[in-house]
Amino acid sequence: MCTVSGSIFLLLCCPSSSSSSISLVCCYSNTIAKRRVGNGISHLSAATATCAMAKDVWSRTCGSSSSSPIPRESGSRRQQQGTCLDRSVDMEELLAAIGETQNEDELYAVMSPYSGRQLSMRFMVSLLSREPDWQRTLALLDWINEKALYSPSLFAYNVVLRNVLRAKQWLLAHGLFDEMRHKGLSPDRYTYSTLITSFAKHGLFDSSLFWLQQMEQDNVSGDLVLYSNLIDLARKLCDYSKAISIFTRLKASTITPDLIAYNSMINVFGKAKLFREARLLLQEMADNGVQPDTVSYSTLLAIYVDNQKFVEALSLFSQMNESKCPLDLTTCNIMIDVYGQLHMPKEADRLFWSMRKMGIQPNVVSYNTLLRVYGEAELFGEAIHLFRLMQSKDVPQNVVTYNTMIHIYGKTLEHEKATNLVQEMKKRGIEPNAITYSTIISIWEKAGKLDRAAILFQKLRSSGVRIDEVLYQTMIVAYERAGLVAHAKRLLHELKRPDNIPRETAIAILARAGRIEEATWVFRQAFDTGEVKDISVFGCMINLFSKNKKYSNVVEVFEKMRQVGYFPDSDVIALVLNAFGKLREFDKADALYRQMHQEGCVFPDEVHFQMLSLYGARKDFMMVESLFEKLDSNPNVNKKELHLVVASIFERADRLNDASRVMNRMNQRAIRSHDPT
């Protein structure tokens, strides 16, 4: 029987239900209360697990049923379904009648004319798939199994599972899965694909990976589409560790990644700052018969530029040309920027003016990038000519175009021309942004007109313009350069109680200004109120505490980061391992290293070397030797640096014989590699 407490509990557990669905909870709770979550509590989120432990839902009363799996129907029973009324029943009318029901008794009454299984299972599955309300589909599934006594159908369960997951009823999804097994049904690829993708789409990656692991244990083969979708979801959520873990599982399943999967992983490795692994993927692609395309190269080029690895970008561009891979607009724009960063304005100029010959029409990004290259090379005449050329050829200009020109006038100390450009862009309907104003403030400050800069800043604050991190920092620096330290401190103090800027922005400003106490106070306040949603804020605070040797605080922020479900990148892992080492918490460092490795994370050499050093500090030389041998067999690890790190660990511990052994091993390997015989 349904109880009031059970209905209230269901309302608490299912906050995502629509209002119409919630109104039916009490009515259909007889059906829902029959089921309970199986053994899947450990892989649910903490909140869901708490709900599951608070009260059993989805449990079957075992009055007449056996605890053993329910067998499939016998052949004679199936023969009773030989005569079907599918064509004589109007499905639309039946669906409308079901939609009018308010409880399972009413639904059973609607379905009672067909309790002799006059309708085929195919018809019933179609009926389930077209019923939009997840609670009615559950009740209809119970009628199929318990009243009409159809043979358990995997197709029916898959449809109901899909409906339940669409309604974000995670507990019931686990219960349905357990019930399928109880009835002797084996989940198929569709079952697992539905579970994996549904949990992943809502950021529940731990649960998603649990289902992936279950699928692999059941020897149900996933396909490339499933793995690729998971990788893409993890990438979009910036959970690069999970994406790498899934990619590792994909390759372990003997499925060869396709071009889309490889290109996605180049992006993932790059975002995780695993640049060597990203570049090695290009060779792996060729080895597997997957030819890198323009997207492959441009993705890695963009990653190099984002991380200021311009020499590597130039090398990759040469490789791209050697492979006869065609250029596109994105690649050309990136390389114009690279040439500028490497102080090669002539090459940038040559590439820009040759784009049309290659059939590539330059866009506003192309013009803006070359404009900046001219400015940084102090080719002011060329910059002004290009700026006016854009206007004469009706090339659309944007706020970046004007900001670049304002910056160029600032370099020539022509502050009036810079100010006039602000008026010009407004007349042309281009709204100045924070960078525009911060550039003007900086120009006025350098021109000795701090009073104008301060007045503009105050006007912006009072006008409601969003004061971003750049603008705030520009004004703070302007005050400090002018010797007005008190004014700078006042701005920093205001950030402790931000009223017109997001707290995440305030945290970033305070952290980069080195204001530990203020940044910590704002961070804790923002975290407690759920305002910290950007993973970079956690990284910013971890960097701040690490630089200032606040190792306990590093661990505190890291634990908060994991608490909200974010996974660290390799830089954060390195800082946290270092913090654990400084705190002499070697077991926690070891646990973190192993956990990330089991998740499929690919570490840069620095993280491996740091773990070796921590083992050495703990004087666990057996683990040093073990990890040393494992890394020495890894073709992606720099062997020379590895041997030097291990030798220095033994030397610091006065194990000179071991240090000598490691160095001799390195030297002998070097001799063999140069031996022509």
Side-chain angles (χ1 to χ4, degrees), residues 610-637:
Q610 189 169 31
M611 199 62 228
L612 282 167
S613 298
L614 291 178
Y615 286 141
R618 190 170 63 176
K619 299 189 181 304
D620 190 347
F621 299 110
M622 185 177 297
M623 284 304 302
V624 171
E625 292 280 9
S626 174
L627 184 55
F628 172 48
E629 294 298 333
K630 185 181 296 183
L631 295 176
D632 195 34
S633 62
N634 187 337
N636 297 323
V637 174

Side-chain angles (χ1 to χ4, degrees), residues 236-472:
K236 288 177 179 177
L237 292 170
C238 301
D239 202 338
Y240 306 121
S241 298
K242 282 290 195 322
I244 294 170
S245 173
I246 295 164
F247 184 65
T248 303
R249 288 173 179 270
L250 164 63
K251 293 197 292 186
S253 68
T254 69
I255 299 173
T256 301
D258 62 0
L259 181 62
I260 295 173
Y262 272 121
N263 286 348
S264 183
M265 284 309 302
I266 289 172
N267 181 271
V268 166
F269 279 124
K271 295 293 186 183
K273 301 188 185 303
L274 298 168
F275 308 112
R276 183 173 58 207
E277 285 75 8
R279 182 101 181 231
L280 287 172
L281 277 184
L282 294 176
Q283 183 59 50
E284 182 181 316
M285 292 169 71
D287 293 342
N288 287 332
V290 181
Q291 189 64 32
D293 66 353
T294 306
V295 175
S296 312
Y297 285 105
S298 62
T299 300
L300 188 50
L301 282 171
I303 288 165
Y304 280 146
V305 171
D306 288 344
N307 291 275
Q308 300 184 349
K309 293 183 174 293
F310 305 113
V311 174
E312 290 86 345
L314 188 61
S315 168
L316 181 64
F317 186 61
S318 298
Q319 179 182 334
M320 183 180 183
N321 286 326
E322 289 172 3
S323 66
K324 307 297 183 183
C325 184
L327 306 184
D328 65 355
L329 179 61
T330 301
T331 308
C332 290
N333 289 345
I334 291 172
M335 286 312 300
I336 292 170
D337 182 32
V338 169
Y339 283 134
Q341 298 289 350
L342 293 175
H343 310 292
M344 302 167 68
K346 290 184 179 179
E347 286 76 4
D349 185 87
R350 186 182 301 115
L351 177 58
F352 176 83
W353 297 110
S354 66
M355 287 172 67
R356 286 188 178 87
K357 295 179 182 178
M358 294 185 285
I360 302 171
Q361 186 69 26
N363 63 0
V364 65
V365 176
S366 314
Y367 281 94
N368 288 346
T369 307
L370 186 60
L371 199 63
R372 182 176 53 76
V373 171
Y374 284 153
E376 291 175 352
E378 299 187 351
L379 299 171
F380 303 125
E382 286 84 345
I384 294 170
H385 171 72
L386 185 64
F387 179 71
R388 296 307 174 191
L389 182 67
M390 292 177 71
Q391 295 177 335
S392 65
K393 289 194 172 186
D394 292 327
V395 176
Q397 295 177 314
N398 57 23
V399 67
V400 176
T401 314
Y402 276 92
N403 287 347
T404 305
M405 277 307 301
I406 290 169
H407 180 71
I408 288 172
Y409 280 130
K411 293 183 75 172
T412 61
L413 299 180
E414 297 179 271
H415 56 86
E416 291 301 334
K417 288 185 177 180
T419 305
N420 291 338
L421 275 184
V422 177
Q423 302 304 318
E424 179 183 318
M425 63 190 295
K426 286 183 176 179
K427 288 180 182 178
R428 298 189 63 188
I430 301 173
E431 192 65 29
N433 61 12
I435 295 176
T436 313
Y437 291 121
S438 64
T439 305
I440 289 292
I441 287 173
S442 180
I443 290 171
W444 282 345
E445 180 265 326
K446 290 176 183 176
K449 299 182 180 295
L450 183 62
D451 55 337
R452 292 181 67 178
I455 291 171
L456 174 61
F457 184 73
Q458 292 303 325
K459 281 184 177 179
L460 292 172
R461 296 183 70 185
S462 60
S463 66
V465 172
R466 183 177 178 272
I467 309 296
D468 76 343
E469 178 183 345
V470 175
L471 194 49
Y472 240 108

